[in-house]
Amino acid sequence: MAAALHHLFVDASQALAAFASGRSLTEALERTRAEHRAGAQALAFAAVRAQARCTALLKRLLARRAPPRVDALLRAALAQLLELEEARTAPHTVVDQAVQAARRMAAPQAGLVNAVLRRFLREREHLLAQVLREPEALYEHPLWWQKQLQRDWPEHWQALLEAAQQPPPFSLRVRGELPAYLARLQAAGLQGRPLGTLWPQGLVLEPPCPVSQLPGFAEGEVSVQDGAAQLAAPLLLDGAGTLPPLPSGARVLDACAAPGGKTAHLLERRPDLDLLALDADATRLQRVDDTLRRLNLRARTLAADARDTAVWWDGRPFDAILLDAPCSASGINRRHPDVRWLRRESDLAVLSHTQAQLLDALWPLLRPGGRLLYATCSLFACEGREQVAAFAQRQPAARALEVPGCTGHLLGLPDNAAAVPGDGFFYALFQS
């Protein structure tokens, strides 16, 4: 990797500069050259997971902030030097390759990059002792985020912050028989293990690999989906075994469908559903169409704001509604570490208001006895238990159905060493 590391530093710094201006890191990395994307993503994600430490270090190592691309390059290199125990590349090679990257970027500050990184290596212990006195740098999360978790999860907040710094599991959803697919993986030189009894089609791949290497991916035999997200379809279709299955041809609404993983899972389990997939973002809705096309599944898709029912609803009630509502995405913070820095504390009130509007707009669209599954990929109580408690007060006829292990807040923390952690999620199932 060392011979090409300077190329990866160039691409990673470009993505990190875009992230610093407020863009999603995932979106920024889509512009990276395909042959460099995986390596550049690893560097960029490592830099974002070390964002607060890098910021504090650069304040001490520089008299004034460097230009955006040079600042981003320094962060990418510092993140590698911070993890000396885990690094696959020697520190002097990281420095040399970062300097070469600065030269390739035609940055006149190549000498500055060299000086800053070498000074960090000389003064590493002293600098880190200073930096780690700062709470943001110690936990690598904004202070408001830390305080929110302390309020919501006083016994787990530190574990949640620490878990967010670890690589997420690479979970798959298999369309056929799980043992047969596990055997195919082994034949392809890949190793997987079942997620557990709650996930009859779920497995974890260890270590991860590009989807192009997954047997049958292009043919729709397997999809990437976190274990927590795989609970949505069984919860909506039959309450994870606690409700009668939906009737044949049941009308189902997926109200905020993009990117389409849950839509596809519903149809894989029940191809006979009359399913409408909505999303307010027409561009993101295209991803739903692409997913359904790869899997050879059919659903009606429509770009519309689910709250504006007068525009899109035909007046016929639904048997079931999945509301995977817009949220802070705090539960997928481990998978998308840029989320913690792109979000603002003020966003929570705005998102909570939107979630309440969606619940109130969609609830009347259910037939008597119908069911609604509210979901957010959030750890915050205001988007989970507090949100549905307020909804239950506004709609006293809504009957909450508790499904142990599936509803409520799923924190993504293993109960024991053998458990498979996943994303943080919240589910609430209601019957009218």
Side-chain angles (χ1 to χ4, degrees), residues 10 25 36 88 93 129 140 196 206 308 331 393-394:
V10 169
L25 191 55
H36 293 172
R88 299 180 182 178
T93 303
E140 283 296 345
E206 298 173 330
D308 196 357
Q393 286 190 331
R394 298 192 303 272

Side-chain angles (χ1 to χ4, degrees), residues 388-407:
V388 299
F391 170 71
Q393 286 190 331
R394 298 192 303 272
Q395 299 288 347
R399 184 166 67 97
L401 303 174
E402 300 294 336
V403 183
C406 297
T407 54

Side-chain angles (χ1 to χ4, degrees), residues 251-252 274-278 298-302 314 316 318:
R251 280 175 54 81
V252 175
D274 176 12
L275 193 148
L276 171 62
L278 290 184
R298 292 182 179 275
R300 290 177 295 137
T301 59
L302 180 64
D314 62 6
R316 293 188 297 153
F318 292 97

Side-chain angles (χ1 to χ4, degrees), residues 37-211:
R37 189 165 299 151
Q41 176 174 306
L43 292 176
F45 273 44
V48 172
R49 286 196 173 95
Q51 168 94 345
R53 281 172 291 166
C54 289
T55 298
L57 285 169
L58 289 173
K59 285 179 181 177
R60 290 164 171 80
L61 291 166
L62 289 168
R64 64 179 64 87
R65 185 165 181 174
R69 286 291 298 277
V70 176
D71 177 82
L73 174 60
L74 284 168
R75 290 171 182 273
L78 280 171
Q80 296 303 299
L81 296 175
L82 280 167
E83 307 300 334
L84 290 180
E85 294 82 4
E86 301 175 9
R88 299 180 182 178
T89 308
H92 71 272
T93 303
V94 172
V95 175
D96 175 70
Q97 294 289 299
V99 172
Q100 286 196 47
R103 290 175 180 149
R104 288 189 64 84
M105 292 157 48
Q109 293 91 348
L112 175 69
V113 170
N114 183 61
V116 166
L117 297 179
R118 291 190 183 280
R119 181 185 166 195
F120 168 72
L121 289 176
R122 289 195 307 271
E123 303 178 21
R124 173 189 167 91
E125 299 305 322
H126 172 68
L127 288 168
L128 286 179
Q130 292 182 327
V131 162
L132 293 179
R133 294 193 188 105
E134 302 176 15
E136 277 202 357
L138 179 62
Y139 288 110
E140 283 296 345
H141 283 75
L143 287 179
W144 73 263
W145 190 297
Q146 296 183 39
K147 291 176 182 177
Q148 190 72 33
L149 288 181
Q150 288 181 53
R151 181 186 79 89
D152 293 344
W153 305 106
E155 296 180 0
H156 303 296
W157 68 275
Q158 289 170 305
L160 290 168
L161 293 172
E162 291 164 3
Q165 291 297 90
Q166 304 304 314
F170 187 64
S171 302
L172 304 176
R173 185 186 76 243
V174 176
R175 201 162 182 180
E177 295 296 324
L178 190 60
Y181 193 77
L182 286 168
R184 290 183 65 187
L185 286 176
Q186 190 170 16
L190 301 170
Q191 295 297 319
R193 59 186 174 92
L195 270 169
T197 55
L198 287 175
W199 301 272
Q201 262 65 52
L203 64 90
V204 173
L205 194 68
E206 298 173 330
C209 74
V211 294

